Amino acid sequence: MIEDASGDKLERIEDFDNLPTFTFVTSTGYNGCDIYDKEAMNVIISDISADWQITDIQTELKQAISRQRIKSNPNYDRYIFIYNNISKRNIIVRRIT
């Protein structure tokens, strides 16, 4: 168990052969970890309204989806990419009177 800067307790995954049902990995993690799971499906989420959450399709998306190492996994060459295509900065809110 580790503690982050805000004091929240985080549990570090030590047994990569026994991953939980859902494993959340930040961009820092997918730049350096390998995933060995027989059934895992990669799901990448990007929010273009926040500059720090935008996923670069040319580099970061490829990096994230290539972390799966077991080629016999039926989802080895599949992924789900969820993103918004409207920046909150471009939304105009008008009051109806």
Side-chain angles (χ1 to χ4, degrees):
M1 184 89 50
I2 59 175
E3 189 172 310
D4 70 6
S6 67
D8 290 335
K9 303 279 189 226
L10 305 171
E11 188 173 335
R12 183 178 297 274
I13 296 174
E14 301 290 342
D15 182 6
F16 294 102
D17 292 326
N18 190 21
L19 294 172
T21 303
F22 297 99
T23 304
F24 296 93
V25 180
T26 66
S27 60
T28 301
Y30 69 64
N31 279 319
C33 71
D34 295 331
I35 299 173
Y36 296 90
D37 191 289
K38 297 174 185 167
E39 300 173 338
M41 164 77 74
N42 288 317
V43 179
I44 300 93
I45 300 172
S46 181
D47 180 358
I48 70 164
S49 68
D51 291 340
W52 55 274
Q53 286 187 352
I54 297 173
T55 300
D56 180 346
I57 294 175
Q58 293 298 317
T59 57
E60 292 177 331
L61 184 61
K62 290 178 183 178
Q63 185 68 245
I65 62 176
S66 67
R67 304 325 303 170
Q68 177 55 253
R69 299 298 189 207
I70 297 181
K71 292 184 178 181
S72 62
N73 177 329
N75 300 309
Y76 178 77
D77 59 352
R78 298 182 182 147
Y79 64 92
I80 298 170
F81 183 38
I82 301 170
Y83 63 96
N84 57 353
N85 60 0
I86 299 175
S87 172
K88 292 176 187 170
R89 289 171 275 191
N90 295 332
I91 296 174
I92 299 171
V93 178
R94 295 183 182 165
R95 183 177 295 190
I96 300 174
T97 56

